[in-house]
Amino acid sequence: MDITIEEIVAYWTNRRSEVGMAVDWTEAHLLCWRCAHKRNLQRCHIVPRSLGGSDQPENLVLLCKQCHTEAPNVADSEFMWTWLKAHAVPYYGSYWQLRGLQEYEFVFGTKPFKDLDSLPDFEDQLKAMAKELSGTTSTHWGQGKLNPSTVAWLIHQVEQRLAKAK
């Protein structure tokens, strides 16, 4: 594909509002348009080639590898924008942590740190324990960030330690 990242960003900058998106157009050449992480960006077809989509800028967005694999594969070009905006978070880089919290709630059936946030120095303890435990986690090759299930495990471990300290 001969279309550059810069050509894709330039095309959409003049045609789509960045309101409600995970990134703004000034950083769209650096950050994934879904999770806002600074990653190697892939050209993702809005409408897949197999469904008649072209390799032109009007049919391409920029996603990291993980977000690209989760992107919709449908012939409805507007749905890509709906999907991107649905995943936008208010702070850059917090998308995968929020997904980890959702994973925690799914796996354990409850919100994390229930009744523990009243502990003295809760935030300081939380940060220290998370930092200590981060050495017991890793990422899948090529991802460069913790996936949601690993974040859920990390939260659970911190929560168990805080409960013991209570």
Side-chain angles (χ1 to χ4, degrees):
M1 191 177 318
D2 294 333
I3 304 300
T4 67
I5 286 173
E6 290 75 19
E7 288 173 316
I8 296 167
V9 172
Y11 178 84
W12 290 114
T13 298
N14 299 318
R15 290 171 176 82
R16 276 281 171 178
S17 170
E18 64 193 12
V19 174
M21 297 281 291
V23 298
D24 60 49
W25 294 131
T26 60
E27 297 179 292
H29 64 290
L30 299 171
L31 304 173
C32 173
W33 294 10
R34 179 195 188 203
C35 72
H37 273 255
K38 190 173 185 177
R39 307 288 314 277
N40 289 332
L41 298 175
Q42 297 181 352
R43 292 157 191 85
C44 174
H45 289 86
I46 295 170
V47 174
R49 275 189 243 153
S50 63
L51 295 174
S54 74
D55 290 338
Q56 297 305 306
E58 65 267 14
N59 191 46
L60 298 169
V61 296
L62 300 171
L63 302 175
C64 69
K65 182 178 181 179
Q66 188 169 2
C67 289
H68 193 173
T69 62
E70 294 183 17
N73 292 302
V74 298
D76 178 356
S77 62
E78 277 306 305
F79 185 68
M80 177 65 78
W81 300 102
T82 301
W83 179 78
L84 288 171
K85 288 181 179 190
H87 286 278
V89 294
Y91 303 104
Y92 280 3
S94 64
Y95 177 79
W96 292 106
Q97 288 80 5
L98 291 174
R99 284 280 305 272
L101 287 169
Q102 292 169 343
E103 183 78 1
Y104 176 94
E105 290 178 25
F106 177 76
V107 171
F108 296 105
T110 185
K111 293 195 177 295
F113 309 116
K114 195 173 180 181
D115 303 323
L116 294 174
D117 58 354
S118 62
L119 290 173
D121 302 321
F122 169 74
E123 288 187 34
D124 293 335
Q125 288 185 59
L126 180 102
K127 289 176 188 174
M129 289 179 191
K131 185 176 181 179
E132 178 186 332
L133 284 165
S134 67
T136 63
T137 65
S138 71
T139 61
H140 285 287
W141 186 87
Q143 282 189 347
K145 61 183 167 28
L146 299 179
N147 65 24
S149 59
T150 303
V151 171
W153 175 88
L154 184 60
I155 292 167
H156 184 65
Q157 296 303 306
V158 170
E159 184 179 56
Q160 286 183 322
R161 289 182 182 200
L162 285 171
K164 285 181 186 176
K166 185 174 178 182

Short mmCIF file of all heavy atoms in Angstrom, two decimals, residues 132-154:
data_model
loop_
_atom_site.label_atom_id
_atom_site.label_comp_id
_atom_site.label_asym_id
_atom_site.label_seq_id
_atom_site.Cartn_x
_atom_site.Cartn_y
_atom_site.Cartn_z
N GLU A 132 5.42 -2.66 42.56
CA GLU A 132 6.13 -3.88 42.98
C GLU A 132 5.67 -5.09 42.17
O GLU A 132 6.48 -5.88 41.69
CB GLU A 132 5.87 -4.12 44.46
CG GLU A 132 6.50 -5.38 45.01
CD GLU A 132 6.09 -5.65 46.45
OE1 GLU A 132 5.79 -4.69 47.19
OE2 GLU A 132 6.06 -6.84 46.82
N LEU A 133 4.38 -5.22 41.97
CA LEU A 133 3.83 -6.37 41.26
C LEU A 133 4.02 -6.29 39.76
O LEU A 133 3.95 -7.31 39.07
CB LEU A 133 2.34 -6.53 41.58
CG LEU A 133 2.04 -7.12 42.95
CD1 LEU A 133 0.59 -6.88 43.31
CD2 LEU A 133 2.39 -8.59 42.98
N SER A 134 4.27 -5.10 39.23
CA SER A 134 4.42 -4.97 37.78
C SER A 134 5.61 -5.79 37.27
O SER A 134 5.63 -6.19 36.11
CB SER A 134 4.56 -3.51 37.37
OG SER A 134 5.77 -2.97 37.85
N GLY A 135 6.56 -6.09 38.14
CA GLY A 135 7.68 -6.94 37.76
C GLY A 135 7.30 -8.40 37.58
O GLY A 135 8.09 -9.20 37.09
N THR A 136 6.07 -8.75 37.95
CA THR A 136 5.60 -10.13 37.79
C THR A 136 4.63 -10.26 36.62
O THR A 136 3.91 -11.25 36.52
CB THR A 136 4.91 -10.62 39.09
OG1 THR A 136 3.76 -9.81 39.34
CG2 THR A 136 5.86 -10.54 40.28
N THR A 137 4.62 -9.25 35.77
CA THR A 137 3.76 -9.27 34.58
C THR A 137 4.62 -9.07 33.34
O THR A 137 5.76 -8.61 33.43
CB THR A 137 2.70 -8.16 34.62
OG1 THR A 137 3.35 -6.88 34.57
CG2 THR A 137 1.85 -8.23 35.87
N SER A 138 4.06 -9.40 32.21
CA SER A 138 4.75 -9.11 30.94
C SER A 138 3.69 -8.87 29.88
O SER A 138 2.50 -8.99 30.13
CB SER A 138 5.68 -10.25 30.53
OG SER A 138 4.93 -11.38 30.13
N THR A 139 4.16 -8.54 28.70
CA THR A 139 3.27 -8.30 27.57
C THR A 139 3.49 -9.39 26.53
O THR A 139 4.54 -10.03 26.51
CB THR A 139 3.56 -6.93 26.93
OG1 THR A 139 4.91 -6.92 26.46
CG2 THR A 139 3.37 -5.81 27.94
N HIS A 140 2.50 -9.57 25.69
CA HIS A 140 2.70 -10.46 24.55
C HIS A 140 3.68 -9.80 23.59
O HIS A 140 3.73 -8.57 23.48
CB HIS A 140 1.37 -10.72 23.82
CG HIS A 140 0.48 -11.66 24.55
ND1 HIS A 140 0.72 -13.01 24.63
CD2 HIS A 140 -0.65 -11.44 25.26
CE1 HIS A 140 -0.21 -13.58 25.33
NE2 HIS A 140 -1.07 -12.65 25.73
N TRP A 141 4.43 -10.60 22.89
CA TRP A 141 5.42 -10.07 21.97
C TRP A 141 4.77 -9.09 21.00
O TRP A 141 3.73 -9.36 20.42
CB TRP A 141 6.08 -11.22 21.19
CG TRP A 141 7.19 -10.75 20.34
CD1 TRP A 141 8.49 -10.60 20.71
CD2 TRP A 141 7.12 -10.35 18.98
NE1 TRP A 141 9.23 -10.12 19.67
CE2 TRP A 141 8.41 -9.96 18.58
CE3 TRP A 141 6.10 -10.26 18.04
CZ2 TRP A 141 8.71 -9.51 17.30
CZ3 TRP A 141 6.40 -9.82 16.77
CH2 TRP A 141 7.69 -9.45 16.43
N GLY A 142 5.36 -7.92 20.90
CA GLY A 142 4.89 -6.92 19.95
C GLY A 142 3.80 -5.99 20.45
O GLY A 142 3.48 -5.02 19.80
N GLN A 143 3.23 -6.27 21.62
CA GLN A 143 2.15 -5.41 22.11
C GLN A 143 2.68 -4.17 22.83
O GLN A 143 2.15 -3.10 22.65
CB GLN A 143 1.20 -6.17 23.02
CG GLN A 143 0.25 -7.05 22.27
CD GLN A 143 -0.82 -7.62 23.16
OE1 GLN A 143 -0.74 -7.57 24.38
NE2 GLN A 143 -1.83 -8.19 22.56
N GLY A 144 3.64 -4.34 23.70
CA GLY A 144 4.22 -3.19 24.38
C GLY A 144 3.37 -2.61 25.49
O GLY A 144 3.69 -1.56 26.04
N LYS A 145 2.29 -3.24 25.85
CA LYS A 145 1.43 -2.77 26.94
C LYS A 145 0.72 -3.97 27.54
O LYS A 145 0.60 -5.02 26.90
CB LYS A 145 0.43 -1.73 26.46
CG LYS A 145 -0.51 -2.26 25.41
CD LYS A 145 -1.44 -1.21 24.90
CE LYS A 145 -2.18 -1.62 23.66
NZ LYS A 145 -2.43 -3.00 23.45
N LEU A 146 0.28 -3.82 28.78
CA LEU A 146 -0.44 -4.91 29.42
C LEU A 146 -1.83 -5.05 28.81
O LEU A 146 -2.51 -4.06 28.57
CB LEU A 146 -0.58 -4.64 30.93
CG LEU A 146 0.72 -4.52 31.72
CD1 LEU A 146 0.41 -4.21 33.18
CD2 LEU A 146 1.56 -5.77 31.59
N ASN A 147 -2.25 -6.29 28.59
CA ASN A 147 -3.59 -6.51 28.07
C ASN A 147 -4.61 -6.49 29.22
O ASN A 147 -4.23 -6.52 30.40
CB ASN A 147 -3.66 -7.81 27.25
CG ASN A 147 -3.41 -9.04 28.08
OD1 ASN A 147 -3.62 -9.06 29.29
ND2 ASN A 147 -2.97 -10.11 27.44
N PRO A 148 -5.90 -6.40 28.92
CA PRO A 148 -6.91 -6.27 29.98
C PRO A 148 -6.90 -7.38 31.02
O PRO A 148 -7.08 -7.11 32.21
CB PRO A 148 -8.23 -6.24 29.21
CG PRO A 148 -7.86 -5.63 27.89
CD PRO A 148 -6.49 -6.21 27.58
N SER A 149 -6.67 -8.62 30.62
CA SER A 149 -6.69 -9.69 31.61
C SER A 149 -5.49 -9.60 32.56
O SER A 149 -5.61 -9.92 33.74
CB SER A 149 -6.73 -11.07 30.93
OG SER A 149 -5.61 -11.23 30.08
N THR A 150 -4.36 -9.13 32.07
CA THR A 150 -3.19 -8.94 32.93
C THR A 150 -3.43 -7.79 33.90
O THR A 150 -3.09 -7.87 35.08
CB THR A 150 -1.93 -8.69 32.09
OG1 THR A 150 -1.76 -9.79 31.19
CG2 THR A 150 -0.69 -8.56 32.95
N VAL A 151 -4.05 -6.72 33.43
CA VAL A 151 -4.40 -5.59 34.31
C VAL A 151 -5.38 -6.07 35.38
O VAL A 151 -5.24 -5.72 36.56
CB VAL A 151 -4.99 -4.41 33.50
CG1 VAL A 151 -5.53 -3.33 34.43
CG2 VAL A 151 -3.93 -3.82 32.57
N ALA A 152 -6.35 -6.91 35.01
CA ALA A 152 -7.32 -7.43 35.98
C ALA A 152 -6.60 -8.26 37.05
O ALA A 152 -6.89 -8.13 38.25
CB ALA A 152 -8.37 -8.28 35.27
N TRP A 153 -5.64 -9.08 36.65
CA TRP A 153 -4.88 -9.87 37.62
C TRP A 153 -4.10 -8.95 38.55
O TRP A 153 -4.08 -9.15 39.77
CB TRP A 153 -3.91 -10.81 36.89
CG TRP A 153 -3.03 -11.56 37.84
CD1 TRP A 153 -3.30 -12.74 38.46
CD2 TRP A 153 -1.73 -11.16 38.31
NE1 TRP A 153 -2.25 -13.10 39.28
CE2 TRP A 153 -1.28 -12.15 39.20
CE3 TRP A 153 -0.91 -10.06 38.06
CZ2 TRP A 153 -0.04 -12.07 39.85
CZ3 TRP A 153 0.32 -9.99 38.70
CH2 TRP A 153 0.74 -10.98 39.58
N LEU A 154 -3.46 -7.94 37.99
CA LEU A 154 -2.66 -7.00 38.77
C LEU A 154 -3.55 -6.28 39.80
O LEU A 154 -3.19 -6.17 40.98
CB LEU A 154 -1.98 -5.99 37.84
CG LEU A 154 -1.03 -4.99 38.46
CD1 LEU A 154 0.13 -5.68 39.15
CD2 LEU A 154 -0.51 -4.04 37.39
#
